[in-house]
Structures are given as C-alpha cells and as structure tokens.
Amino acid sequence: MTEGDDRVVTTEVVTGTEPQQLNAEGGHGAVPLEGVATQQAPQAAAARDWPLWEVFVRAKRGLSHVHVGSLHAPDAAMAVRNARDLYTRRQEGVSIWVMPAEHITATSPDEKDAFFDPAADKIYRHPTFYSVPEGVKHL
Amino acid sequence: MPTSTRHLATAPSNADVSRYALRLGDDALISAQRMGEWIAAAPQLEEDVALGNIALDLLGQARALLTYAGQLEGAGRDEDDLAYLRDERQFLNAQIFELGNGDFGFTVARLLVTSTYQHALYAGLRHSADSTLAAIAAKAVKEVDYHRDHATQWTLRLGDGTAESHRRMQQGVDAVWPYVSELFESDALTTALAASGVAVDPNSLEEQVLVYVEQVLTEATLTRPEATVRHTGGRSGIHTEQFGYVLAEMQHLARSHPGAKW
C-alpha cells in the first residue's frame, strides 16, 4: 500500500459529530474518515486508548523533517519519547516533531480528481519549452 | 576523596575489581531480564517498545561489565558463562532488581529508583581510576539518563492521574521502598575500591538519589514511605524467593542445550 492509496485503514467508528476526524492506523499518515467507509471498532478500543500522533524526523542537520509514521501516546511529551523509541533507535534522526493527528486537515480520497487531475495534462506548466543557450550557468 | 590518598592507596587486586564489576553487571543483567518480561505485556504497544529498549540498554551494560569481570577473574569465563552458568548464590545483584514485575505501577516505581541510582553511580564512575569501568560508565550514563526520564514521566502521570492510578502508583512505591536502602550499603570491598579511586562508594550516592526520587514523588502527589523493613543480602548472594524463577527462565536454554548457537 502506497502513500495516497484510496483505502482507509482505521479501527475507529466515525461519530459524525466532529467536523473532521482523522486517523492514520497502519502508519499511512492522517487520512480523513468523513464520507468514506470505515470498519467497526474492535471491542478492545476502549476509553484507555491514547490519541494518535503523527511523527516527523529530521535525518540530519540541513534536511527538513519528514513524516515517518504515527503512534499512540497519552500526551505530547510521551509522544516524543515514544517516537524516539519507535523511529530513531537506529540513529535515523537528530530531531523529532510530533503533532496530534486530529489537527491535520487532509485532502479526501473523494476529492482526488478535482484536486489533482487538472494538473496532469498541462505540460506547458513545466518549463520544458525553453532552449537554454550553451554556456549559461546557474539556471 | 583527596588526590593524595589515591597515590598512597595500594593498587586494587584484580579479584576485587572483578567482584565489583560483577555486582554492577548483575544489577544490569537481572534488571534487563525483568524489563524484557514486559515485551508484549505492557499497557500499550508503544510501551512494549520503550521497556524493550530499556532492557536492551541494560543488557548491553551487563555484557560489558560481565565480560570485564570475567577477564579480571582470569579463569577463562566469558559473559555467557557468567550469565548462564552461575547459581543463585553466586549472583551479586541487589535484591531490588530481581523482584517480580508486579503491575505497571510497581515496575515504574522500581525503575525510578534503580535508574536514578544507576545514573548517580555511572556519573561518578566515569572518573574511575580504572579506565575500562570509566569507559563503560561514560556510555551507560546517557542510557540510564533516558531510563530515569521515562520512569519520571510515568510516575508523574500515574501519581497525579486518576484516583486508581494514584493508588496503584503509591502501592508500587510502598512495595519497592524496603529494598531501596540496600543500594547504598558500603562494605569492605567498596570502601577499599573507593579509596583507590576505582569504585564509587554506594553510601555517597544515597542523598542525591533520594533527593531526586522524593522530588518526583512530591510532584506526583505521592508520599515517600517510611521503610520499616530493610531487606539486604544481594551483594553477598542472598536472594529473594522470586530470584530462582528469574534464573530458571533466563538460564533454561543455555543449560539445556550447552553451546547452542543462534
């Protein structure tokens, strides 16, 4: 399963009362639950379940933080610590960001065509029609 | 310790340093074994991994310390021989490390005490006159710093959480407390090695460790218990009933299949 796959992996039930519920079970990043089919929550998903956090890791100085996955934690401080154990134990990073998955507003798989298809056939948006004179540097 | 005594003191014998390394190594080894028992049994998957990481750090420390103890002993025993082929009375860990995991509150309470103790110990041992012990301590101090932080975070959350989490966290602290003072017992071995600059006198750690632990307990709205009983004997091979079960599980494979390779 790749990033942007239409399938939604979730173990929670949509209540429908919140404007935008997000989930990233399975480590595929925050995906909206609204308007898409979801599975029934397993019995074990009880009140002790912790909120979901998205984890971003900076591999080394000068690079930007990259989304690496998600995890559960009771609060932000524990989320950073869990992220350290889950995603950087083999020296993958020098800095970690975490953020509550519910604070991410994501595009919906339903909107994929409207959002992304129009860009597909506009090759003139790419600067490929200019011939570059020889000897021009730093272009 | 004034520097002058370091020159006056006689060089410590290999046997003494070996025994000291064995004590620290056994603390780390048994602690690793107990922490490892939480894997797949912790309250959450994330906590499985966190406790598993802590166990692996401790196992790494145990390997270095036991290997060094074996070298100094000079009887050709390596880390595996020491870990798997010694009997109960030959283990020199303090009893606090071997106690059954209990519930998560007990495990957190124990980890708070032991990691704070190990942190103070390794921080001091970095300046040991014995360069191997100093090197092991320099690496380990960063690891136990994280263990201490993990235990601190949980103590705060459970102590200052719900009525039930507070009750169980306090219960854990109460159950651990009678085993705390053994960590700070000095004896002829540690006194002699501390005088020659090799060891850290356990007695010298008591105040700073308890100050830190009490500070965390207070912030977590928990009470430091009064120890009416003080269990001791681990450093001379006297252990609790539960210790036999730890060894049985830890040593079973190596003893049933001698020389088995992964």
Side-chain angles (χ1 to χ4, degrees):
Chain A
M1 196 161 155
T2 55
E3 208 61 49
D5 193 301
D6 283 358
R7 276 186 296 161
V8 173
V9 184
T10 176
T11 56
E12 287 177 27
V13 181
V14 182
T15 61
T17 53
E18 290 170 34
Q20 180 118 43
Q21 265 212 334
L22 296 155
N23 204 328
E25 289 285 354
H28 301 285
V31 291
L33 300 182
E34 216 169 30
V36 290
T38 55
Q39 300 158 334
Q40 184 71 27
Q43 300 275 321
R48 75 168 189 178
D49 265 12
W50 296 336
L52 192 70
W53 301 78
E54 298 299 332
V55 182
F56 302 80
V57 170
R58 183 204 290 280
K60 58 181 180 185
R61 265 179 65 89
L63 296 182
S64 54
H65 287 73
V66 173
H67 183 242
V68 293
S70 52
L71 52 77
H72 291 94
D75 53 47
M78 291 307 288
V80 168
R81 286 166 176 78
N82 288 347
R84 177 261 196 194
D85 286 329
L86 288 166
Y87 295 110
T88 66
R89 55 187 296 226
R90 296 181 191 88
Q91 295 189 314
E92 290 93 338
V94 295
S95 167
I96 299 171
W97 288 350
V98 295
M99 72 175 295
E102 63 177 11
H103 288 173
I104 294 177
T105 306
T107 55
S108 161
D110 289 347
E111 301 168 318
K112 192 163 79 91
D113 289 350
F115 264 79
F116 304 113
D117 267 14
D121 58 353
K122 313 282 194 301
I123 51 169
Y124 47 81
R125 286 181 179 160
H126 299 276
T128 51
F129 299 93
Y130 302 97
S131 48
V132 180
E134 271 187 48
V136 174
K137 291 172 185 169
H138 310 303
L139 190 69
Chain B
M1 187 190 66
T3 34
S4 55
T5 57
R6 184 172 292 190
H7 301 294
L8 292 173
T10 50
S13 73
N14 278 357
D16 280 356
V17 181
S18 171
R19 194 168 171 83
Y20 181 66
L22 204 54
R23 287 182 181 185
L24 306 189
D26 284 349
D27 283 356
L29 177 67
I30 301 306
S31 193
Q33 183 70 15
R34 280 302 191 195
M35 284 297 150
E37 288 174 20
W38 275 107
I39 296 170
Q44 292 275 355
L45 183 64
E46 282 78 357
E47 195 57 28
D48 277 348
V49 178
L51 294 179
N53 266 338
I54 291 174
L56 286 176
D57 286 345
L58 291 165
L59 188 66
Q61 295 163 19
R63 293 188 59 184
L65 288 163
L66 293 185
T67 299
Y68 188 47
Q71 284 168 1
L72 290 175
E73 185 192 41
R77 293 201 285 183
D78 65 8
E79 49 175 323
D80 286 342
D81 297 329
L82 288 171
Y84 296 128
L85 301 179
R86 275 182 302 154
D87 288 327
E88 192 175 329
R89 292 294 295 269
Q90 294 158 332
F91 275 83
L92 305 179
N93 56 286
Q95 292 179 357
I96 192 172
F97 294 98
E98 75 203 36
L99 301 173
N101 279 337
D103 63 6
F104 190 63
F106 177 85
T107 291
V108 168
R110 188 235 312 263
L111 185 63
L112 178 68
V113 172
T114 57
S115 60
T116 307
Y117 159 76
Q118 286 181 316
H119 185 262
L121 169 73
Y122 290 137
L125 205 58
R126 280 182 299 183
H127 312 294
S128 169
D130 184 303
S131 58
T132 305
L133 288 179
I136 294 171
K139 180 170 181 295
V141 73
K142 284 179 271 184
E143 296 170 343
V144 293
D145 193 16
Y146 187 79
H147 308 170
R148 188 179 62 156
D149 174 74
H150 193 77
T152 301
Q153 298 295 332
W154 271 121
T155 305
L156 294 176
R157 280 161 182 76
L158 295 173
D160 198 10
T162 65
E164 173 68 0
S165 74
H166 176 88
R167 183 183 71 76
R168 288 173 70 167
M169 193 63 227
Q170 183 67 55
Q171 217 170 44
V173 175
D174 292 350
V176 161
W177 214 256
Y179 295 88
V180 172
S181 61
E182 186 188 2
L183 294 170
F184 310 118
E185 284 173 8
S186 300
D187 59 10
L189 177 73
T190 53
T191 306
L193 289 181
S196 51
V198 169
V200 176
D201 186 357
N203 195 244
S204 70
L205 303 173
E206 181 163 11
E207 195 187 334
Q208 63 179 116
V209 170
L210 292 184
V211 163
Y212 180 87
V213 171
E214 278 187 47
Q215 191 188 320
V216 175
L217 293 181
T218 306
E219 203 182 325
T221 72
L222 298 162
T223 342
R224 175 193 157 171
E226 286 304 320
T228 47
V229 188
R230 291 161 180 264
H231 295 287
T232 184
R235 298 300 185 205
S236 49
I238 309 295
H239 295 284
T240 63
E241 185 184 344
Q242 302 164 69
F243 191 54
Y245 296 95
V246 181
L247 287 194
E249 188 164 302
M250 187 176 82
Q251 298 184 334
H252 166 73
L253 188 96
R255 287 189 185 247
S256 307
H257 307 277
K261 289 258 183 292
W262 180 255

